[in-house]
Amino acid sequence: MKQQFELRFNDVELTGTEDDSLRVSGYVNKSGQWSQQLGSRKKFVERILPGTFNRALQNGNEIHFYAEHSPDKILATTRNGSLTLREDEQGLFMSAEIVPTSWGKDYHTLIKTGVIRNMSFGMKVLKDTWKQLSDGTYERSISDLLLAEVSAVRNPAYVQSTISARSIDIVDDPQINLTEEKEMFNENTLDSYRAKLADFDKDIVAVKNNGLTEEEQEIRGFEQFLRKQDGAEVRELRAMTTTTGAIMIPTHLHNAVVEKMYEVAPIFRHTRNFKPLNGKLDVLAEKDMGKAATFIGEMQPITLEDFTLSKVTLTAKRGGTAVELSEHTINDSGIPIVDYAIKMLSKSLGHTIDGSILFGKGESNGEFQGILVDSAENTIAQTTISSLVGLTLDNLIDFYNSIHPQYVSDTEKDAVWVISRKAFNRISKLKINGVPILIRDVAESGAVYKLLGHSVYVSEKMDDPTLNPSKKLVVLGNFFEGYTTMTRRGIRLRHVTGDTDTTQALRGSELLVLDGYFDGKILQPDALKVMKFTTVPQ
């Protein structure tokens, strides 16, 4: 099924440089501002709420800069960094270094001279709200969208006539879903009350906490507690002491640990993760789509074709980590001790979970189901190469083509590579016309490597013959479709103080413990592929 996209024209200025570079910049859309009247059957105006574009850009999908919405005239792309997009206080701003093709140079000239000065963008709306006005028209507020492309255009009429000839379905009149409004309060009134209450709450918190936010207060209190200092914040923490004498870590610090754990565990981050309240969860996965449809004769019955589904059951398995800090480190070091503890705990647990996704020995051992562990339940397809030294570009291309295209792209999450350090070193030496196939890409989150257009993550553990006796050194897959994980709500971050634990008292140290309940299993084996090697150099 084709994606349904909506196109929007904006009368905003796009400017080009006056020097020899082919750079252009301008605002694609002004956030929060109402559009001109849209729709052919039902008239409406719409606005993109502030922050919506920022969320869209965090999805990480490729966005192209076209000339008049024509894929045949691509000017720049986020893939290689020639197109950059950001949302600021005014709206969505774009800056592009146009690729110096013949049409690229021509369109830069048209933009620089003012012949083309407007911007348009294509989007798929993911979340919106509608309100009917007294004159029968509607107001639409968009709070979540998928940004597909931005374009330099001349005028609205040209955009519509051009798009209608393209191989993309355009939504002219989107589905209008009105939310029921209470008689006494409309949306504007409720927003006004919410804003007043939010300001009131901020004033109360600021007075109560001496101008500190709740998060800042918690961090300072916990810092004082570790350093055995006194203060209003630390006394509030002590008020939460349990019957065993352990201090309960504040909510904001707990959330910071969980967020950091996702940052340092790239494999875990790409899986389909659920957060149930209890310790067991059944997840359904498509096993056989059957026949999507059939052509039948007049007055003949349609054959019923059921989807075939498989069920994966996740059960809670306790995992945890701890960091021990000496009292000397806590009291005499100049480092922010709370940030240090959060970083260490999150990194340790995150790496452990990533390792479990690769090497977990399964339910019978109380562990995750590992992608690289041979078992009767693991049906992930394997490609065998005789020697890592003999790995070629053709081997990688054949391996890449062995996975179904629907799992490589056009899904909610993109496919990624997970490879060993030795495989990374071998692949980094492969070249096309003298150019390495392993590309170092600089993104907002830092430098990453791309192989055949997909992100590469290196796992040092894959080179360990004890963990990985089958020598499976390369994994390609869509982990969101292929692997599911469970993080039971209520991850605990606890502090074990020397006053309540004999071991810690004797050692003169403080112990921070992070633990929770997790599980992970293969959901759709066809979405993952493994390459193993018969011979691997030492």
Side-chain angles (χ1 to χ4, degrees):
M1 180 177 178
K2 294 181 178 179
Q3 297 280 352
Q4 297 287 319
F5 284 91
E6 301 183 36
L7 299 176
R8 292 294 179 266
F9 169 85
N10 290 283
D11 188 17
V12 292
E13 183 126 3
L14 176 65
T15 60
T17 55
E18 294 295 336
D19 54 23
D20 294 333
S21 66
L22 300 182
R23 181 165 293 279
V24 297
S25 60
Y27 280 92
V28 180
N29 180 270
K30 298 296 183 69
S31 302
Q33 294 187 8
W34 292 105
S35 68
Q36 72 274 25
Q37 194 173 78
L38 305 170
S40 59
R41 294 188 296 273
K42 293 183 178 180
K43 303 298 183 182
F44 67 97
V45 294
E46 72 178 17
R47 60 180 175 177
I48 311 293
L49 295 177
T52 301
F53 283 117
N54 187 47
R55 285 190 294 274
L57 295 176
Q58 291 175 355
N59 289 333
N61 61 292
E62 285 184 38
I63 303 171
H64 300 308
F65 178 35
Y66 292 142
E68 297 167 351
H69 294 286
S70 174
D72 295 331
K73 295 179 180 178
I74 185 170
L75 302 177
T77 177
T78 56
R79 170 181 283 190
N80 62 6
S82 58
L83 171 66
T84 59
L85 296 154
R86 72 171 190 272
E87 183 180 10
D88 58 21
E89 65 275 8
Q90 295 189 58
L92 179 62
F93 181 81
M94 67 82 68
S95 178
E97 183 75 24
I98 294 178
V99 178
T101 58
S102 57
W103 65 82
K105 295 176 182 177
D106 291 340
Y107 272 91
H108 180 264
T109 301
L110 292 173
I111 293 169
K112 184 172 67 173
T113 56
V115 176
I116 291 180
R117 65 179 185 85
N118 298 127
M119 291 294 297
S120 179
F121 66 99
M123 64 177 174
K124 180 183 179 183
V125 175
L126 303 178
K127 185 177 181 181
D128 59 2
T129 57
W130 293 83
K131 177 183 177 182
Q132 187 172 18
L133 304 179
S134 58
D135 61 357
T137 61
Y138 299 85
E139 287 181 351
R140 182 194 199 189
S141 297
I142 298 173
S143 57
D144 199 5
L145 59 85
L146 173 67
L147 184 62
E149 51 139 323
V150 297
S151 288
V153 296
R154 283 180 286 181
N155 55 57
Y158 185 86
V159 173
Q160 294 299 330
S161 61
T162 300
I163 294 302
S164 62
R166 288 174 54 221
S167 58
I168 185 172
D169 291 337
I170 305 303
V171 175
D172 189 31
D173 287 283
Q175 179 69 36
I176 297 177
N177 298 309
L178 289 174
T179 56
E180 183 179 355
E181 294 183 357
K182 299 296 183 181
E183 183 177 354
M184 293 180 62
F185 297 99
N186 58 31
E187 183 182 353
N188 292 333
T189 304
L190 288 173
D191 285 344
S192 176
Y193 273 103
R194 292 189 188 104
K196 290 178 180 179
L197 285 172
D199 290 339
F200 178 76
D201 289 342
K202 289 179 181 178
D203 292 340
I204 293 297
V205 170
V207 172
K208 179 181 177 181
N209 299 337
N210 298 319
L212 297 176
T213 65
E214 185 177 355
E215 182 175 3
E216 291 170 339
Q217 184 192 30
E218 289 181 356
I219 292 175
R220 190 168 80 169
F222 191 52
E223 189 94 23
Q224 291 173 343
F225 175 76
L226 290 177
R227 298 183 189 276
K228 300 189 184 312
Q229 298 172 348
D230 196 15
E233 293 86 0
V234 72
R235 285 194 293 271
E236 187 171 340
L237 284 178
R238 290 188 183 279
M240 296 188 292
T241 303
T242 65
T243 55
T244 60
I247 293 293
M248 299 301 293
I249 304 302
T251 302
H252 284 95
L253 294 183
H254 168 269
N255 293 338
V257 170
V258 176
E259 291 174 6
K260 182 65 68 175
M261 187 173 66
Y262 280 99
E263 290 179 14
V264 299
I267 304 176
F268 184 37
R269 183 173 67 246
H270 280 83
T271 63
R272 182 180 305 209
N273 183 255
F274 295 91
K275 300 178 178 64
L277 291 174
N278 54 33
K280 186 175 181 180
L281 179 69
D282 290 334
V283 182
L284 294 179
E286 292 177 3
K287 188 175 182 181
D288 182 8
M289 287 289 292
K291 297 179 181 178
T294 57
F295 288 98
I296 56 175
E298 188 70 22
M299 300 297 294
Q300 296 296 314
I302 297 175
T303 302
L304 179 63
E305 295 287 347
D306 289 332
F307 293 102
T308 302
L309 298 175
S310 61
K311 183 177 74 171
V312 169
T313 300
L314 300 174
T315 55
K317 299 171 179 62
R318 183 170 180 256
T321 185
V323 59
E324 187 175 16
L325 304 173
S326 70
E327 293 182 354
H328 173 77
T329 299
I330 294 173
N331 296 321
D332 298 337
S333 68
I335 64 173
I337 200 68
V338 175
D339 291 342
Y340 175 80
I342 288 176
K343 180 180 178 181
M344 295 299 294
L345 288 168
S346 306
K347 184 177 180 179
S348 177
L349 186 55
H351 288 178
T352 299
I353 291 177
D354 265 8
S356 298
I357 294 173
L358 295 176
F359 302 109
K361 296 180 180 179
E363 189 72 32
S364 60
N365 292 280
E367 299 180 10
F368 285 20
Q369 183 182 13
I371 292 172
L372 303 181
V373 177
D374 293 320
S375 68
E377 296 79 19
N378 187 349
T379 59
I380 296 175
Q382 302 178 14
T383 297
T384 302
I385 305 296
S386 59
S387 173
L388 177 60
V389 176
L391 179 66
T392 65
L393 175 59
D394 287 342
N395 295 145
L396 289 172
I397 293 176
D398 290 341
F399 180 68
Y400 179 86
N401 291 333
S402 68
I403 192 169
H404 196 287
Q406 73 176 359
Y407 295 125
V408 176
S409 59
D410 297 330
T411 54
E412 186 169 346
K413 298 290 184 180
D414 199 11
V416 297
W417 298 84
V418 180
I419 63 179
S420 76
R421 174 62 63 184
K422 289 182 178 179
F424 178 87
N425 292 338
R426 171 58 187 164
I427 294 172
S428 65
K429 298 174 183 177
L430 300 179
K431 299 179 181 180
I432 302 178
N433 297 326
V435 179
I437 65 170
L438 198 61
I439 301 173
R440 189 172 185 270
D441 188 18
V442 180
E444 289 186 3
S445 57
V448 296
Y449 283 92
K450 293 288 185 73
L451 177 60
L452 300 179
H454 299 275
S455 298
V456 176
Y457 299 105
V458 177
S459 171
E460 307 283 353
K461 293 183 179 180
M462 293 174 74
D463 288 312
D464 188 336
T466 304
L467 291 174
N468 192 7
S470 299
K471 302 183 179 71
K472 300 174 183 177
L473 304 186
V474 178
V475 178
L476 171 66
N478 189 310
F479 286 82
F480 183 83
E481 299 290 344
Y483 199 91
T484 182
T485 54
M486 176 185 74
T487 306
R488 181 180 173 183
R489 294 185 185 179
I491 293 179
R492 296 172 297 181
L493 178 59
R494 294 174 294 167
H495 173 254
V496 180
T497 176
D499 296 335
T500 58
D501 184 270
T502 304
T503 302
Q504 301 311 126
L506 292 174
R507 293 173 63 89
S509 63
E510 309 286 336
L511 185 67
L512 294 176
V513 179
L514 175 67
D515 68 341
Y517 289 88
F518 312 89
D519 198 12
K521 287 187 178 178
I522 298 169
L523 181 66
Q524 175 54 271
D526 290 344
L528 303 166
K529 300 293 179 183
V530 174
M531 180 184 289
K532 65 179 183 178
F533 298 86
T534 304
T535 304
V536 178
Q538 297 299 319

